[in-house]
Amino acid sequence: MAGDAAALEGAPARALVRAVPVWAWLTALVAVSTLVRFLLARRVAALWIMVDELIYSELAKSFGESARFAVRDVPTYGYGLVYPALISPAYAVFDSLPRAYDAVRAINSLLVSLAALPAYFLARRVVPTGLSLLAALLAVSLPSLVYAGEVMTENAFYPLFLCVMVAFVAALERPTASRQLLLLALCGLAYLTRAQALAFVPAILVAPVVLGRWRSFGVLYGVVAAAVVAVLGVQLARGESPLGVLGAYAVTGEHRYEPTEVGRWLVYHVAELDLYAGVIPLAALVVLLSLWRRLPRNLRPFLAATASISVFLLLEVSAFASLPSVQRIEERNLFYLVPLALIALLVWIDQGAPRPALATGIAAVLGAALPGVIPYERLIGVPSQSDTLMLIPLWRLHERWFALEDLTAVAVAGAVAAALLFLVVPRRYVLALPLALLVFFAVAQRPISARLEYASLGALAEGVGKADVDWVDRATRGRETVVLWTGNTSRFSVWQNEFFNRSVGDVYYLRDPMNGGLPQTRLELDRRTGVLRDEGRTLAPEFALTDGSATPGGTLVDADEKRGVFLYRVDAPLRQTSIVDGLHPNDTWSGPTVTYTRLACTGGTLTVLVQSDPNLYQEPRTVSVRGTGISRAIPPDNRSHAVTVPLRPSGGVCTATFAVPTVVPGH
């Protein structure tokens, strides 16, 4: 085996590899990858995969401040805790959250780059040093490593997954008690990172059976059985469902899954992985599995581990994707499998690139045909920005050159070309195949990175319109600031300000809660005095952040006028001085009537700014104030026009109702 690899690598390459110690190669690879990933990550302007990123930033911030896991000061252990713990030093070291965000992206970049180490050691069990170093390089070249710019568990789970695979293969090779216990410990650590790791359990139980060595795994089977009994016992004793061990993801176990739907999404996921990997690695893996009995026995543990983990992860993710609320290819839950296929390609190369006619033909045909089953017309769009990155290059091709219905033909044409390379490249040049994949990953990553940068800029612009994203902290000097949510502005105006400003804390809502499922509290309004209460308790925060439809009693300190968000120094107790009804949710456009209500009102005047839109209206529209005889013609000139009305108290409350004519349906 080593001799074949040496012939493929060539004398100059062998000399270079041998001249530099392996540790130096790996150190340089991790360092360069970390730098490149960090530079790319910094181009992501803000959180945009909501509310996942906000949850993990909140957990990390809480752990960095108090060594406990909480979201908006509410303790929670329903999410993966390893990743927030790893990035928590960023929040402990930096008071400025924008700087902490930079530090988080630096940690992310290091974490994903460290995947080169387990990738090397995994490959080294089945191929020579030179090819193992190439496996390490391929592992840190995947387009999905752009997630280093996101506050997501993928950054910790990816290198940990490869560590699990090293331990898995090592235990299958020589199933000592210590290796089995190490494997179980790493699986537990992976589960504490992502509940998705639950699929590891059936995989590590089945692989020994595939190898015919299950009798040697008494420790593994015994510990797993004891753990299952213990978990069931604890959950039943607490009167809770066994699914409670899934934490925030327990709801996924409460659905009824349709086998046909799961099967359909299984095919989609296999096809998309085939496309992601560039066809050739999966074809090589199929060929190796077909040669199971003819290959050296030392390769079987790797192939058994790869096959078992792939099957159960694919089943798990496909079942989740089949839910009516999901219905998309969850590539970000599966890209971890791609390095296994890439190592399989290197094994195939090291074995002399065998091409048995039947198996090779089936592998090539499957590899070329599978991308044709993906319904690109339905799946390319906003959801693919966060979950199915390899569809983004096709999306870009659609935007520039091809109709949406032509993308299937484009994808299949590329897959056919890759399959032909797998079939016809001479054995002496097969090392060019993984090198071509490096180029493929680099080309694919460019539109992916651009799309993620665009999405983050959009999310930031929707949430913050000021140059300093930590403007609340600057204005309050870090003192307590609560949020009054009315539903009349974008949720991103809360989320982004919450993420970039340490002083922004509790979120209160006045009518309907904000979507996203994060902790928030309903306040009761005394319409006579305007005082806001939490279950009868008055509140006395120093500052309040809200939009223009709910003005708290106090002094305006600063404002994000582009987003219609205002910061007030509160005159205790927290109270609301005015209410605006009739605006469209998350917007400042009006319905047919808008009502302004002033609480604890003694009179005075009210001035509002009204603006039209020349894209919708060609003639002036008259806005009138009911019961006053006041009206104002508003021209469609994109300028704000003032309308002033008197306020007359009735029972301590003043009201002004504006009638707004609408001539464009839906506007």
Side-chain angles (χ1 to χ4, degrees):
M1 181 176 69
D4 292 338
L8 289 167
E9 291 176 9
R14 290 202 312 274
L16 180 60
V17 170
R18 291 174 179 175
V20 179
V22 169
W23 66 264
W25 281 115
L26 293 175
T27 301
L29 179 57
V30 170
V32 172
S33 173
T34 301
L35 177 60
V36 171
R37 290 297 166 190
F38 179 62
L39 294 175
L40 291 173
R42 291 198 74 239
R43 298 174 69 173
V44 176
L47 309 185
W48 61 278
I49 303 179
M50 292 298 189
V51 291
D52 300 49
E53 290 192 79
L54 184 59
I55 287 172
Y56 290 113
S57 68
E58 284 285 299
L59 291 169
K61 182 168 60 176
S62 172
F63 191 74
E65 292 175 345
S66 61
R68 69 187 185 113
F69 293 103
V71 175
R72 292 179 177 170
D73 288 330
V74 177
T76 179
Y77 298 93
Y79 299 92
L81 303 180
V82 172
Y83 175 65
L86 289 173
I87 64 172
S88 63
Y91 294 92
V93 172
F94 295 101
D95 288 331
S96 166
L97 290 187
R99 290 188 177 182
Y101 185 34
D102 277 339
V104 167
R105 290 178 288 188
I107 294 171
N108 287 346
S109 301
L110 175 61
L111 287 174
V112 296
S113 299
L114 286 173
L117 303 182
Y120 169 81
F121 290 113
L122 179 60
R124 191 65 188 87
R125 309 193 82 86
V126 287
V127 295
T129 301
L131 292 179
S132 298
L133 288 172
L134 181 55
L137 175 60
L138 287 164
V140 295
S141 301
L142 300 188
S144 292
L145 270 60
V146 295
Y147 286 127
E150 320 301 335
V151 188
M152 300 285 285
T153 57
E154 281 79 0
N155 296 296
F157 193 72
Y158 178 52
L160 185 54
F161 171 83
L162 292 175
C163 289
V164 170
M165 290 304 301
V166 175
F168 193 5
V169 174
L172 292 176
E173 290 172 343
R174 191 159 61 90
T176 63
S178 59
R179 291 190 177 194
Q180 293 176 53
L181 291 173
L182 175 61
L183 172 60
L184 289 169
L186 286 173
C187 288
L189 186 62
Y191 177 78
L192 293 175
T193 307
R194 284 174 72 96
Q196 176 188 358
L198 194 64
F200 293 0
V201 176
I204 65 175
L205 296 179
V206 168
V209 178
V210 173
L211 288 173
R213 304 186 63 184
W214 61 271
R215 291 183 179 85
S216 302
F217 286 82
V219 172
L220 185 145
Y221 290 124
V223 171
V224 170
V228 170
V229 170
V231 168
L232 291 176
V234 169
Q235 290 298 100
L236 292 175
R238 296 167 59 186
E240 297 182 5
S241 167
L243 295 174
V245 299
L246 295 177
Y249 305 98
V251 65
T252 60
E254 299 171 359
H255 292 273
R256 180 181 177 183
Y257 295 92
E258 295 293 336
T260 54
E261 276 294 288
V262 174
R264 181 165 68 92
W265 284 98
L266 177 63
V267 172
Y268 290 165
H269 280 84
V270 173
E272 204 275 341
L273 273 183
D274 180 42
L275 185 67
Y276 184 112
V279 176
I280 296 170
L282 266 67
L285 178 59
V286 170
V287 170
L288 290 177
L289 291 173
S290 74
L291 297 173
W292 176 273
R293 296 190 179 279
R294 292 167 49 186
L295 293 173
R297 296 183 67 87
N298 69 302
L299 298 180
R300 294 181 183 179
F302 168 76
L303 293 175
T306 296
S308 61
I309 203 76
S310 299
V311 167
F312 287 103
L313 268 180
L314 279 163
L315 285 172
E316 177 191 54
V317 175
S318 299
F320 174 70
S322 70
L323 296 176
S325 60
V326 183
Q327 296 287 301
R328 61 178 177 266
I329 295 176
E330 292 288 342
E331 175 202 285
R332 70 182 173 108
N333 295 329
L334 285 174
F335 78 89
Y336 319 107
L337 297 176
V338 175
L340 306 184
L342 293 168
I343 293 174
L345 171 62
L346 299 178
V347 171
W348 178 76
I349 291 172
D350 188 55
Q351 293 300 310
R355 292 188 176 106
L358 180 60
T360 303
I362 292 174
V365 170
L366 281 176
L370 275 172
V373 307
I374 300 174
Y376 300 100
E377 301 92 334
R378 182 157 58 88
L379 296 179
I380 285 180
V382 173
S384 66
Q385 290 183 157
S386 60
D387 291 83
T388 324
L389 300 186
M390 197 50 79
L391 294 187
I392 293 177
L394 290 172
W395 188 359
R396 183 59 174 159
L397 291 177
H398 159 60
E399 291 174 335
R400 299 191 66 175
W401 292 303
F402 297 99
L404 197 59
E405 58 270 19
D406 295 334
L407 291 183
T408 299
V410 173
V412 171
V416 168
L420 288 174
L421 286 176
F422 178 72
L423 290 173
V424 305
V425 169
R427 284 183 172 85
R428 63 184 300 180
Y429 297 120
V430 288
L431 198 57
L433 296 178
L435 300 179
L437 289 174
L438 284 172
V439 175
F440 169 66
F441 292 150
V443 171
Q445 183 169 264
R446 183 173 180 180
I448 292 172
S449 295
R451 183 69 63 174
L452 267 59
E453 292 164 19
Y454 175 80
S456 69
L457 287 170
L460 179 61
E462 189 174 347
V464 181
K466 294 178 74 73
D468 295 320
V469 291
D470 57 345
W471 67 281
V472 178
D473 279 352
R474 291 170 180 263
T476 64
R477 297 184 179 179
R479 293 195 290 276
E480 177 190 11
T481 303
V482 301
V483 175
L484 295 181
W485 166 254
T486 66
N488 285 328
T489 189
S490 170
R491 293 172 295 171
F492 279 85
S493 66
V494 175
W495 292 335
Q496 298 290 6
N497 282 306
E498 185 176 12
F499 175 71
F500 285 114
N501 296 273
R502 198 180 287 270
S503 59
V504 176
D506 294 335
V507 175
Y508 297 100
Y509 64 95
L510 307 177
R511 298 184 184 91
D512 298 318
M514 183 190 306
N515 293 338
L518 299 181
Q520 52 193 305
T521 303
R522 180 180 177 83
L523 295 181
E524 300 169 351
L525 171 66
D526 185 329
R527 295 186 68 89
R528 183 179 61 83
T529 63
V531 173
L532 296 164
R533 293 184 174 90
D534 174 11
E535 296 182 349
R537 178 175 62 92
T538 59
L539 306 173
E542 290 192 61
F543 296 89
L545 192 69
T546 186
D547 63 84
S549 65
T551 305
T555 306
L556 181 65
V557 175
D558 202 350
D560 181 351
E561 295 183 358
K562 289 184 179 179
R563 298 308 312 154
V565 176
F566 303 90
L567 177 66
Y568 289 85
R569 186 188 301 275
V570 175
D571 295 334
L574 181 64
R575 61 188 177 88
Q576 187 170 346
T577 62
S578 64
I579 305 170
V580 178
D581 295 304
L583 299 179
H584 287 298
N586 303 329
D587 207 345
T588 56
W589 283 92
S590 69
T593 61
V594 179
T595 301
Y596 172 89
T597 303
R598 184 81 179 179
L599 307 174
C601 179
T602 58
T605 60
L606 167 71
T607 299
V608 300
L609 298 180
V610 185
Q611 182 176 317
S612 183
D613 186 342
N615 294 316
L616 299 177
Y617 301 97
Q618 282 70 50
E619 301 294 334
R621 311 306 302 174
T622 300
V623 175
S624 59
V625 186
R626 293 178 181 174
T628 66
I630 297 174
S631 63
R632 176 73 183 271
I634 309 298
D637 56 6
N638 265 337
R639 294 168 54 197
S640 295
H641 301 269
V643 179
T644 301
V645 298
L647 294 177
R648 299 184 177 90
S650 175
V653 176
C654 300
T655 302
T657 301
F658 298 82
V660 183
T662 55
V663 295
V664 179
H667 295 283

